[in-house]
PDB file of all heavy atoms in Angstrom:
ATOM      1  N   ARG S 183      -3.031   5.511  -2.966  1.00 95.00           N
ATOM      2  CA  ARG S 183      -3.898   5.524  -1.857  1.00 95.00           C
ATOM      3  C   ARG S 183      -4.292   4.103  -1.378  1.00 95.00           C
ATOM      4  O   ARG S 183      -4.353   3.806  -0.167  1.00 95.00           O
ATOM      5  CB  ARG S 183      -5.203   6.286  -2.163  1.00 95.00           C
ATOM      6  CG  ARG S 183      -4.970   7.799  -2.234  1.00 95.00           C
ATOM      7  CD  ARG S 183      -6.254   8.530  -2.582  1.00 95.00           C
ATOM      8  NE  ARG S 183      -7.278   8.380  -1.556  1.00 95.00           N
ATOM      9  CZ  ARG S 183      -7.522   9.185  -0.586  1.00 95.00           C
ATOM     10  NH1 ARG S 183      -6.817  10.233  -0.415  1.00 95.00           N
ATOM     11  NH2 ARG S 183      -8.494   8.921   0.323  1.00 95.00           N
ATOM     12  N   LEU S 184      -4.543   3.209  -2.358  1.00 95.00           N
ATOM     13  CA  LEU S 184      -4.816   1.820  -1.979  1.00 95.00           C
ATOM     14  C   LEU S 184      -3.667   1.130  -1.320  1.00 95.00           C
ATOM     15  O   LEU S 184      -3.850   0.542  -0.237  1.00 95.00           O
ATOM     16  CB  LEU S 184      -5.195   1.054  -3.294  1.00 95.00           C
ATOM     17  CG  LEU S 184      -6.512   1.357  -3.950  1.00 95.00           C
ATOM     18  CD1 LEU S 184      -6.626   0.613  -5.264  1.00 95.00           C
ATOM     19  CD2 LEU S 184      -7.660   0.853  -3.016  1.00 95.00           C
ATOM     20  N   CYS S 185      -2.460   1.303  -1.822  1.00 97.00           N
ATOM     21  CA  CYS S 185      -1.256   0.699  -1.285  1.00 97.00           C
ATOM     22  C   CYS S 185      -1.015   1.317   0.162  1.00 97.00           C
ATOM     23  O   CYS S 185      -0.547   0.633   1.073  1.00 97.00           O
ATOM     24  CB  CYS S 185      -0.047   0.839  -2.163  1.00 97.00           C
ATOM     25  SG  CYS S 185      -0.111  -0.135  -3.703  1.00 97.00           S
ATOM     26  N   THR S 186      -1.246   2.636   0.256  1.00 96.00           N
ATOM     27  CA  THR S 186      -1.010   3.281   1.550  1.00 96.00           C
ATOM     28  C   THR S 186      -1.936   2.686   2.692  1.00 96.00           C
ATOM     29  O   THR S 186      -1.589   2.552   3.768  1.00 96.00           O
ATOM     30  CB  THR S 186      -1.234   4.736   1.394  1.00 96.00           C
ATOM     31  OG1 THR S 186      -0.251   5.303   0.579  1.00 96.00           O
ATOM     32  CG2 THR S 186      -1.184   5.455   2.793  1.00 96.00           C
ATOM     33  N   SER S 187      -3.225   2.408   2.230  1.00 95.00           N
ATOM     34  CA  SER S 187      -4.170   1.836   3.210  1.00 95.00           C
ATOM     35  C   SER S 187      -3.666   0.495   3.731  1.00 95.00           C
ATOM     36  O   SER S 187      -3.824   0.134   4.874  1.00 95.00           O
ATOM     37  CB  SER S 187      -5.534   1.684   2.581  1.00 95.00           C
ATOM     38  OG  SER S 187      -5.514   0.635   1.598  1.00 95.00           O
ATOM     39  N   ASN S 188      -2.942  -0.236   2.854  1.00 97.00           N
ATOM     40  CA  ASN S 188      -2.411  -1.576   3.277  1.00 97.00           C
ATOM     41  C   ASN S 188      -1.224  -1.394   4.188  1.00 97.00           C
ATOM     42  O   ASN S 188      -0.980  -2.140   5.077  1.00 97.00           O
ATOM     43  CB  ASN S 188      -2.121  -2.414   2.029  1.00 97.00           C
ATOM     44  CG  ASN S 188      -2.328  -3.884   2.261  1.00 97.00           C
ATOM     45  OD1 ASN S 188      -3.313  -4.310   2.804  1.00 97.00           O
ATOM     46  ND2 ASN S 188      -1.294  -4.681   1.873  1.00 97.00           N
ATOM     47  N   ILE S 189      -0.423  -0.385   3.847  1.00 98.00           N
ATOM     48  CA  ILE S 189       0.748  -0.084   4.645  1.00 98.00           C
ATOM     49  C   ILE S 189       0.312   0.339   6.073  1.00 98.00           C
ATOM     50  O   ILE S 189       0.909  -0.111   7.025  1.00 98.00           O
ATOM     51  CB  ILE S 189       1.626   1.022   4.063  1.00 98.00           C
ATOM     52  CG1 ILE S 189       2.272   0.471   2.764  1.00 98.00           C
ATOM     53  CG2 ILE S 189       2.643   1.529   4.994  1.00 98.00           C
ATOM     54  CD1 ILE S 189       2.839   1.528   1.886  1.00 98.00           C
ATOM     55  N   GLU S 190      -0.770   1.043   6.155  1.00 97.00           N
ATOM     56  CA  GLU S 190      -1.367   1.393   7.473  1.00 97.00           C
ATOM     57  C   GLU S 190      -1.791   0.130   8.229  1.00 97.00           C
ATOM     58  O   GLU S 190      -1.634   0.086   9.409  1.00 97.00           O
ATOM     59  CB  GLU S 190      -2.536   2.394   7.289  1.00 97.00           C
ATOM     60  CG  GLU S 190      -2.045   3.772   6.764  1.00 97.00           C
ATOM     61  CD  GLU S 190      -3.169   4.703   6.515  1.00 97.00           C
ATOM     62  OE1 GLU S 190      -4.376   4.335   6.722  1.00 97.00           O
ATOM     63  OE2 GLU S 190      -2.913   5.884   6.178  1.00 97.00           O
ATOM     64  N   SER S 191      -2.281  -0.851   7.477  1.00 98.00           N
ATOM     65  CA  SER S 191      -2.720  -2.138   8.190  1.00 98.00           C
ATOM     66  C   SER S 191      -1.507  -2.813   8.707  1.00 98.00           C
ATOM     67  O   SER S 191      -1.540  -3.412   9.790  1.00 98.00           O
ATOM     68  CB  SER S 191      -3.471  -3.032   7.167  1.00 98.00           C
ATOM     69  OG  SER S 191      -4.672  -2.434   6.804  1.00 98.00           O
ATOM     70  N   ILE S 192      -0.378  -2.754   7.993  1.00 98.00           N
ATOM     71  CA  ILE S 192       0.842  -3.391   8.500  1.00 98.00           C
ATOM     72  C   ILE S 192       1.363  -2.625   9.698  1.00 98.00           C
ATOM     73  O   ILE S 192       1.833  -3.235  10.684  1.00 98.00           O
ATOM     74  CB  ILE S 192       1.934  -3.412   7.362  1.00 98.00           C
ATOM     75  CG1 ILE S 192       1.418  -4.192   6.133  1.00 98.00           C
ATOM     76  CG2 ILE S 192       3.218  -4.061   7.850  1.00 98.00           C
ATOM     77  CD1 ILE S 192       2.312  -4.112   4.900  1.00 98.00           C
ATOM     78  N   TYR S 193       1.250  -1.306   9.598  1.00 98.00           N
ATOM     79  CA  TYR S 193       1.692  -0.500  10.795  1.00 98.00           C
ATOM     80  C   TYR S 193       0.941  -0.919  12.058  1.00 98.00           C
ATOM     81  O   TYR S 193       1.572  -1.025  13.127  1.00 98.00           O
ATOM     82  CB  TYR S 193       1.392   1.019  10.500  1.00 98.00           C
ATOM     83  CG  TYR S 193       1.570   1.829  11.816  1.00 98.00           C
ATOM     84  CD1 TYR S 193       2.790   2.283  12.174  1.00 98.00           C
ATOM     85  CD2 TYR S 193       0.487   2.164  12.560  1.00 98.00           C
ATOM     86  CE1 TYR S 193       2.990   3.014  13.292  1.00 98.00           C
ATOM     87  CE2 TYR S 193       0.636   2.887  13.728  1.00 98.00           C
ATOM     88  CZ  TYR S 193       1.863   3.339  14.071  1.00 98.00           C
ATOM     89  OH  TYR S 193       1.971   4.054  15.249  1.00 98.00           O
ATOM     90  N   ARG S 194      -0.294  -1.176  11.940  1.00 98.00           N
ATOM     91  CA  ARG S 194      -1.107  -1.523  13.130  1.00 98.00           C
ATOM     92  C   ARG S 194      -0.587  -2.853  13.753  1.00 98.00           C
ATOM     93  O   ARG S 194      -0.708  -3.023  14.963  1.00 98.00           O
ATOM     94  CB  ARG S 194      -2.596  -1.652  12.751  1.00 98.00           C
ATOM     95  CG  ARG S 194      -3.238  -0.308  12.358  1.00 98.00           C
ATOM     96  CD  ARG S 194      -4.732  -0.485  12.016  1.00 98.00           C
ATOM     97  NE  ARG S 194      -5.232   0.790  11.504  1.00 98.00           N
ATOM     98  CZ  ARG S 194      -5.438   1.066  10.265  1.00 98.00           C
ATOM     99  NH1 ARG S 194      -5.209   0.107   9.327  1.00 98.00           N
ATOM    100  NH2 ARG S 194      -5.917   2.161   9.867  1.00 98.00           N
ATOM    101  N   ILE S 195      -0.073  -3.737  12.924  1.00 98.00           N
ATOM    102  CA  ILE S 195       0.509  -5.008  13.449  1.00 98.00           C
ATOM    103  C   ILE S 195       1.617  -4.703  14.431  1.00 98.00           C
ATOM    104  O   ILE S 195       1.759  -5.355  15.457  1.00 98.00           O
ATOM    105  CB  ILE S 195       0.963  -5.892  12.277  1.00 98.00           C
ATOM    106  CG1 ILE S 195      -0.210  -6.337  11.505  1.00 98.00           C
ATOM    107  CG2 ILE S 195       1.724  -7.097  12.856  1.00 98.00           C
ATOM    108  CD1 ILE S 195       0.198  -7.169  10.267  1.00 98.00           C
ATOM    109  N   VAL S 196       2.529  -3.680  14.071  1.00 98.00           N
ATOM    110  CA  VAL S 196       3.742  -3.450  14.829  1.00 98.00           C
ATOM    111  C   VAL S 196       3.709  -2.138  15.624  1.00 98.00           C
ATOM    112  O   VAL S 196       4.648  -1.648  16.080  1.00 98.00           O
ATOM    113  CB  VAL S 196       4.933  -3.393  13.871  1.00 98.00           C
ATOM    114  CG1 VAL S 196       5.179  -4.779  13.209  1.00 98.00           C
ATOM    115  CG2 VAL S 196       4.783  -2.293  12.814  1.00 98.00           C
ATOM    116  N   TYR S 197       2.462  -1.587  15.806  1.00 98.00           N
ATOM    117  CA  TYR S 197       2.398  -0.233  16.415  1.00 98.00           C
ATOM    118  C   TYR S 197       2.928  -0.185  17.775  1.00 98.00           C
ATOM    119  O   TYR S 197       3.370   0.855  18.269  1.00 98.00           O
ATOM    120  CB  TYR S 197       0.987   0.262  16.333  1.00 98.00           C
ATOM    121  CG  TYR S 197       0.007  -0.190  17.471  1.00 98.00           C
ATOM    122  CD1 TYR S 197      -0.504   0.760  18.310  1.00 98.00           C
ATOM    123  CD2 TYR S 197      -0.448  -1.489  17.567  1.00 98.00           C
ATOM    124  CE1 TYR S 197      -1.356   0.393  19.365  1.00 98.00           C
ATOM    125  CE2 TYR S 197      -1.211  -1.869  18.526  1.00 98.00           C
ATOM    126  CZ  TYR S 197      -1.751  -0.948  19.501  1.00 98.00           C
ATOM    127  OH  TYR S 197      -2.595  -1.288  20.485  1.00 98.00           O
ATOM    128  N   LYS S 198       2.981  -1.284  18.516  1.00 98.00           N
ATOM    129  CA  LYS S 198       3.555  -1.342  19.873  1.00 98.00           C
ATOM    130  C   LYS S 198       4.889  -1.996  19.928  1.00 98.00           C
ATOM    131  O   LYS S 198       5.569  -2.052  20.946  1.00 98.00           O
ATOM    132  CB  LYS S 198       2.625  -2.088  20.811  1.00 98.00           C
ATOM    133  CG  LYS S 198       1.432  -1.233  21.263  1.00 98.00           C
ATOM    134  CD  LYS S 198       0.701  -2.023  22.372  1.00 98.00           C
ATOM    135  CE  LYS S 198      -0.435  -1.194  23.007  1.00 98.00           C
ATOM    136  NZ  LYS S 198      -1.151  -2.000  24.045  1.00 98.00           N
ATOM    137  N   THR S 199       5.385  -2.567  18.826  1.00 98.00           N
ATOM    138  CA  THR S 199       6.641  -3.365  18.741  1.00 98.00           C
ATOM    139  C   THR S 199       7.841  -2.488  19.077  1.00 98.00           C
ATOM    140  O   THR S 199       8.026  -1.487  18.350  1.00 98.00           O
ATOM    141  CB  THR S 199       6.762  -4.021  17.410  1.00 98.00           C
ATOM    142  OG1 THR S 199       5.590  -4.793  17.102  1.00 98.00           O
ATOM    143  CG2 THR S 199       7.961  -5.017  17.410  1.00 98.00           C
ATOM    144  N   GLU S 200       8.583  -2.903  19.992  1.00 98.00           N
ATOM    145  CA  GLU S 200       9.851  -2.173  20.390  1.00 98.00           C
ATOM    146  C   GLU S 200      10.876  -3.167  20.777  1.00 98.00           C
ATOM    147  O   GLU S 200      10.527  -4.415  20.841  1.00 98.00           O
ATOM    148  CB  GLU S 200       9.564  -1.239  21.592  1.00 98.00           C
ATOM    149  CG  GLU S 200       8.462  -0.246  21.398  1.00 98.00           C
ATOM    150  CD  GLU S 200       8.930   0.910  20.577  1.00 98.00           C
ATOM    151  OE1 GLU S 200      10.162   1.127  20.370  1.00 98.00           O
ATOM    152  OE2 GLU S 200       8.080   1.767  20.189  1.00 98.00           O
ATOM    153  N   LYS S 201      12.038  -2.728  21.053  1.00 98.00           N
ATOM    154  CA  LYS S 201      13.182  -3.680  21.524  1.00 98.00           C
ATOM    155  C   LYS S 201      12.769  -4.398  22.751  1.00 98.00           C
ATOM    156  O   LYS S 201      13.031  -5.630  22.939  1.00 98.00           O
ATOM    157  CB  LYS S 201      14.411  -2.829  21.757  1.00 98.00           C
ATOM    158  CG  LYS S 201      15.633  -3.710  22.223  1.00 98.00           C
ATOM    159  CD  LYS S 201      16.794  -2.938  22.442  1.00 98.00           C
ATOM    160  CE  LYS S 201      17.996  -3.781  22.838  1.00 98.00           C
ATOM    161  NZ  LYS S 201      19.240  -2.964  23.136  1.00 98.00           N
ATOM    162  N   GLU S 202      12.063  -3.655  23.647  1.00 98.00           N
ATOM    163  CA  GLU S 202      11.689  -4.310  24.977  1.00 98.00           C
ATOM    164  C   GLU S 202      10.311  -4.868  24.956  1.00 98.00           C
ATOM    165  O   GLU S 202       9.752  -5.330  25.957  1.00 98.00           O
ATOM    166  CB  GLU S 202      11.776  -3.255  26.065  1.00 98.00           C
ATOM    167  CG  GLU S 202      13.159  -2.579  26.257  1.00 98.00           C
ATOM    168  CD  GLU S 202      14.245  -3.690  26.533  1.00 98.00           C
ATOM    169  OE1 GLU S 202      13.936  -4.647  27.097  1.00 98.00           O
ATOM    170  OE2 GLU S 202      15.383  -3.427  26.056  1.00 98.00           O
ATOM    171  N   HIS S 203       9.596  -4.790  23.768  1.00 98.00           N
ATOM    172  CA  HIS S 203       8.245  -5.332  23.690  1.00 98.00           C
ATOM    173  C   HIS S 203       8.145  -5.943  22.276  1.00 98.00           C
ATOM    174  O   HIS S 203       7.629  -5.378  21.339  1.00 98.00           O
ATOM    175  CB  HIS S 203       7.284  -4.187  23.824  1.00 98.00           C
ATOM    176  CG  HIS S 203       5.798  -4.623  23.844  1.00 98.00           C
ATOM    177  ND1 HIS S 203       5.226  -5.134  24.957  1.00 98.00           N
ATOM    178  CD2 HIS S 203       4.902  -4.647  22.888  1.00 98.00           C
ATOM    179  CE1 HIS S 203       3.922  -5.466  24.726  1.00 98.00           C
ATOM    180  NE2 HIS S 203       3.747  -5.221  23.415  1.00 98.00           N
ATOM    181  N   GLN S 204       8.483  -7.192  22.167  1.00 98.00           N
ATOM    182  CA  GLN S 204       8.606  -7.941  20.914  1.00 98.00           C
ATOM    183  C   GLN S 204       7.323  -8.733  20.695  1.00 98.00           C
ATOM    184  O   GLN S 204       7.315  -9.985  20.780  1.00 98.00           O
ATOM    185  CB  GLN S 204       9.858  -8.767  20.831  1.00 98.00           C
ATOM    186  CG  GLN S 204      11.130  -7.893  20.965  1.00 98.00           C
ATOM    187  CD  GLN S 204      12.387  -8.594  20.584  1.00 98.00           C
ATOM    188  OE1 GLN S 204      12.346  -9.728  20.029  1.00 98.00           O
ATOM    189  NE2 GLN S 204      13.539  -7.954  20.757  1.00 98.00           N
TER     190      GLN S 204
END
Side-chain angles (χ1 to χ4, degrees):
R183 288 179 63 95
L184 287 171
C185 291
T186 294
S187 70
N188 212 49
I189 290 166
E190 291 178 358
S191 294
I192 300 170
Y193 168 84
R194 294 183 184 100
I195 294 177
V196 296
Y197 85 113
K198 282 187 177 180
T199 308
E200 303 281 347
K201 180 179 180 180
E202 304 301 330
H203 186 81
Q204 299 193 10

